[in-house]
Amino acid sequence: MIQRQRYLDKLIHKKENGMVKVITGIRRCGKSYLLFEIYRQYLNSIGVDDEHIIMLALDDDENIRYRNPIELGQYVRSLLIDKDKMYYVFLDEIQKVAAIPNPYLPGSDEKIGFVDVLLGLMKIKNVDLYVTGSNSKMLSSDILTEFRGRGDEIRVNPLSYKEFYEACGDDKRHAWRDYFTYGGMPMVLMQKTPEDKSKYLHDLFDKIYLDDIMARHKIGYDKSVLDDLLDIVASAVGSLTNPIKIANTFATVKGISVTDDTVGKYLDFFIDAFMLYKAKRYDVKGRKHIGSPLKYYYSDVGMRNARLNFRQQEENHIMENILFNELRVREFDVDVGVVELNTRSPEGKSKRVQYEVDFVANKGSRRYYIQSAFAIPDEEKREQETRSLVKIQDSFKKIVVVREDIEPWHDDNEILYIGIEQFLLNETAMDL
């Protein structure tokens, strides 16, 4: 069993808090396992018996009748036998529950769906309610808004490098190589050969992710457009882009006419399904977000690599994607930093120059400026990588992360240099 301790601790902390616990994340990242196995075992360990844990996987065909919200509500209530005992209700993939016309109001346009069921169950004093889902927009708009502060989201991610490393047991020699190649989807660890790992990742796209998106959003385009869009974004990880540039790539490379509005809409679908993340640009000196262009990252680098059939294995770009994901796991808000300065050309003309900071990571009053710098073989490269950090005059921590396993050190500007694996395996290393 892979102990997802970060998420287990959150569930324990939120237990019986009067809210519906909404566990979100990309399909197959381990939400169901966290709830049905890890959290259930915890409840058993503190004396809760299985008769008081109601578990229903709504993406399972044997439970298809409970995708009807009326059937679902009636079924759960039928199991609440003991009024003096708390019942822990786990509803997996709640978005599978359909919205149907209210059968008691013939001729009315009113529909009922899973939100109505959950609102009803929440009013039962001896019910502690947990749901999982794989679409952020639907869940955030339908649950967290409808419940007006009574919905509590827990975001589950694919395995972090630390979780992956610990799951390797005694055989950690190739942990980094395997992680940056095949990523952290939990079931990848169960596959025995590279061919099996590759097939599993490809099947996630072909049999689950794209079909889910096309069905939910009733997309009329050929599925190949979604495939091509994912490939283009995979190739551009770590590069500034926008829907207009991507639409132009469709026209020039693919010979397909797709509008930038359509590209932007499809990208939002991928973000809503937790397949992609979007990082906005942030003007460090002006303290404001800048519009397009921006960066997209895959929520799992194995998925990114599978899109490209494990070609384009530039470890520097993959390392940047892994760093971004790790900061998200640590619950930082992450932007791409821009430092704008007025300089003069050799001819004496004034001009504005932009220097990029890979990540500006914020959490509450804490802020870190982080550069992903794969290798720094000489002083010239070091100055190039730290130029933007040196130009920032505030007192927040500045970090350069390199691929090499080095002893952490600080330069004369108090910039911390640290190896990627130490950064990923030790959260306190950010504050060395």
Side-chain angles (χ1 to χ4, degrees):
M1 179 183 290
I2 301 172
Q3 288 294 343
R4 310 298 303 269
Q5 195 63 46
R6 179 188 300 274
Y7 309 112
L8 175 59
D9 289 343
K10 289 179 180 294
L11 289 172
I12 294 170
H13 178 70
K14 298 174 187 296
K15 175 175 167 287
E16 299 178 26
N17 67 353
M19 298 185 180
V20 56
K21 273 64 72 174
V22 184
I23 304 166
T24 61
I26 189 170
R27 292 193 69 181
R28 301 295 187 266
C29 74
K31 302 186 303 295
S32 308
Y33 190 80
L34 169 68
L35 201 54
F36 285 19
E37 297 295 333
I38 298 175
Y39 189 53
R40 180 183 60 81
Q41 289 188 21
Y42 165 76
L43 291 176
N44 289 158
S45 74
I46 62 170
V48 179
D49 56 48
D50 285 340
E51 286 73 21
H52 292 89
I53 302 173
I54 300 170
M55 303 188 296
L56 195 63
L58 292 161
D59 60 344
D60 202 330
D61 62 350
E62 69 179 5
N63 295 323
I64 198 167
R65 66 181 292 182
Y66 302 119
R67 296 180 192 174
N68 179 312
I70 296 175
E71 293 276 358
L72 176 61
Q74 291 175 346
Y75 172 72
V76 173
R77 285 178 173 84
S78 73
L79 300 175
L80 306 176
I81 299 169
D82 189 345
K83 294 183 179 180
D84 297 323
K85 288 277 191 176
M86 180 65 72
Y87 285 84
Y88 301 86
V89 178
F90 302 167
L91 302 177
D92 191 32
E93 299 295 357
I94 192 68
Q95 79 279 354
K96 290 289 185 180
V97 177
I100 64 171
N102 188 333
Y104 303 105
L105 295 175
S108 169
D109 292 333
E110 181 179 285
K111 289 191 172 184
I112 57 175
F114 69 81
V115 170
D116 300 282
V117 176
L118 298 181
L119 284 170
L121 293 175
M122 285 181 66
K123 294 175 183 177
I124 302 174
K125 291 183 178 180
N126 64 329
V127 167
D128 192 23
L129 190 57
Y130 302 76
V131 302
T132 80
S134 303
N135 185 281
S136 66
K137 183 167 287 186
M138 181 183 70
L139 289 170
S140 62
S141 62
D142 288 357
I143 291 185
L144 302 179
T145 301
E146 288 282 346
F147 290 172
R148 293 177 175 84
R150 296 188 66 194
D152 210 342
E153 183 181 11
I154 299 168
R155 176 71 59 85
V156 177
N157 302 277
L159 299 177
S160 67
Y161 180 63
K162 182 177 181 181
E163 290 174 318
F164 183 92
Y165 185 84
E166 291 172 348
C168 289
D170 295 330
D171 189 18
K172 294 179 169 64
R173 293 170 299 161
H174 305 302
W176 172 256
R177 181 200 64 188
D178 289 347
Y179 188 75
F180 86 71
T181 303
Y182 300 110
M185 298 301 284
M187 284 302 295
V188 167
L189 278 169
M190 305 298 109
Q191 312 304 313
K192 294 183 179 180
T193 68
E195 292 77 17
D196 291 339
K197 297 175 192 291
S198 174
K199 182 179 184 304
Y200 175 77
L201 290 167
H202 279 110
D203 284 350
L204 286 178
F205 284 103
D206 296 338
K207 299 178 180 179
I208 297 179
Y209 298 152
L210 294 184
D211 286 348
D212 276 0
I213 288 173
M214 293 187 74
R216 169 163 174 74
H217 299 286
K218 299 178 175 60
I219 294 174
Y221 268 107
D222 188 276
K223 187 176 179 180
S224 64
V225 174
L226 296 179
D227 272 319
D228 289 339
L229 178 54
L230 286 168
D231 292 347
I232 291 169
V233 174
S235 294
V237 159
S239 302
L240 291 169
T241 190
N242 60 30
I244 295 175
K245 290 179 67 174
I246 294 173
N248 290 337
T249 300
F250 267 105
T252 57
V253 178
K254 302 291 184 179
I256 301 173
S257 178
V258 183
T259 68
D260 57 290
D261 285 341
T262 298
V263 169
K265 180 174 66 176
Y266 286 2
L267 288 170
D268 285 342
F269 292 163
F270 295 141
I271 292 169
D272 293 338
F274 306 105
M275 297 167 67
L276 298 179
Y277 288 126
K278 177 169 65 177
K280 299 178 181 178
R281 299 172 81 210
Y282 179 77
D283 179 352
V284 175
K285 288 188 173 292
R287 298 182 180 180
K288 62 182 179 180
H289 282 100
I290 306 172
S292 179
L294 39 76
K295 291 186 178 184
Y296 293 94
Y297 295 96
Y298 269 77
S299 61
D300 179 75
V301 292
M303 290 165 44
R304 178 264 178 194
N305 296 336
R307 290 306 318 168
L308 303 175
N309 289 319
F310 300 92
R311 300 187 298 269
Q312 299 185 34
Q313 292 292 92
E314 307 95 334
E315 196 174 350
N316 56 333
H317 292 151
I318 296 172
M319 180 175 126
E320 182 179 329
N321 199 145
I322 290 171
L323 268 175
F324 178 86
N325 290 346
E326 177 66 22
L327 291 168
R328 290 296 302 260
V329 167
R330 297 180 187 183
E331 300 183 339
F332 284 93
D333 295 317
V334 189
D335 297 311
V336 177
V338 176
V339 182
E340 286 194 344
L341 296 172
N342 286 317
T343 63
R344 292 194 176 277
S345 67
E347 295 79 23
K349 294 183 178 180
S350 177
K351 64 176 184 177
R352 292 191 66 78
V353 177
Q354 290 187 343
Y355 299 100
E356 185 175 301
V357 180
D358 286 332
F359 303 123
V360 181
N362 293 286
K363 185 195 293 187
S365 61
R366 299 164 61 195
R367 171 176 289 185
Y368 300 84
Y369 301 106
I370 300 171
Q371 290 287 69
S372 177
F374 192 70
I376 303 182
D378 51 43
E379 185 64 19
E380 181 181 354
K381 178 66 173 175
R382 188 177 73 82
E383 290 182 1
Q384 176 187 331
E385 292 290 351
T386 60
R387 190 172 295 138
S388 60
L389 300 180
V390 172
K391 302 294 183 183
I392 301 171
Q393 299 302 310
D394 64 37
S395 59
F396 291 113
K397 191 82 175 185
K398 302 169 181 69
I399 304 171
V400 176
V401 182
V402 299
R403 168 65 192 96
E404 187 181 358
D405 183 16
I406 63 171
E407 187 68 28
W409 64 282
H410 295 81
D411 66 14
D412 292 340
N413 295 300
E414 288 303 310
I415 297 171
L416 170 66
Y417 297 77
I418 188 171
I420 179 67
E421 291 192 67
Q422 182 169 357
F423 183 93
L424 297 174
L425 293 173
N426 180 8
E427 291 192 29
T428 64
M430 295 177 70
D431 296 308
L432 289 175

